[in-house]
Amino acid sequence: MATEIEVGELLHQRGWRTAFTVADRVKAWAALVSLIERGYGDDIYEYTNDLYCRNWLHEAWIPLDEHIVQLWTPQIKALDNRYKAATVDDDGQAIDQFHRLPGPDLWWWRRHPRILTGDLGHALRSAGATGVDPDPA
């Protein structure tokens, strides 16, 4: 099993732009979940780019040392639960209009924010997504 630094380097060699740490990606996932809960207003391309922080965590879990996995799993599960509560499961139909969906084990790609606002909201609505409009105009 690999250390956090070794996994960061391994994933960087596999194409990730830098050698992230688990803390980096958990912080990014937490920030994204908070934005989604309030209403993610950026565009669809930023949104899909932001989702990759969760992909990194998924990829890192396999080679990571079991102790590190046990240490971080409760926080990640709590964030995953918040993400599920702030999103709608549409089996990825809306996001798939803009970004090729990864494998089914990456479940977060098959959900979209419940609050549809800003550029992301417009794009997802155009792809058939339904949700809450925080300021109907």
Side-chain angles (χ1 to χ4, degrees):
M1 295 312 246
T3 67
E4 196 172 335
I5 292 169
E6 291 167 341
V7 169
E9 286 298 327
L10 173 69
L11 294 180
H12 180 50
Q13 291 167 9
R14 289 184 186 168
W16 287 90
R17 68 180 160 86
T18 191
F20 293 111
T21 65
V22 174
D24 291 335
R25 300 295 77 196
V26 169
K27 185 177 179 181
W29 185 227
L32 178 58
V33 169
S34 291
L35 281 173
I36 292 167
E37 288 170 334
R38 291 191 310 268
Y40 188 100
D42 217 332
D43 67 32
I44 185 71
Y45 305 104
E46 281 300 315
Y47 180 73
T48 56
N49 184 59
D50 289 347
L51 282 178
Y52 278 96
C53 66
R54 186 61 181 83
N55 287 40
W56 189 95
L57 290 167
H58 181 79
E59 283 186 44
W61 246 229
I62 297 162
L64 261 177
D65 178 75
E66 183 63 29
H67 174 71
I68 299 167
V69 169
Q70 288 177 1
L71 183 70
W72 285 101
T73 293
Q75 188 174 351
I76 294 167
K77 281 187 175 181
L79 289 168
D80 288 351
N81 289 337
R82 284 176 51 200
Y83 177 79
K84 288 175 184 173
T87 57
V88 174
D89 183 352
D90 74 344
D91 199 30
Q93 291 181 27
I95 290 176
D96 192 38
Q97 303 292 317
F98 304 96
H99 189 285
R100 185 182 65 79
L101 290 178
D105 52 333
L106 305 182
W107 56 266
W108 48 95
W109 284 92
R110 286 164 170 70
R111 305 183 69 85
H112 64 76
R114 187 174 303 283
I115 298 172
L116 297 177
T117 189
D119 291 341
L120 178 65
H122 292 300
L124 292 175
R125 265 196 213 87
S126 76
T130 57
V132 177
D133 188 343
D135 36 66

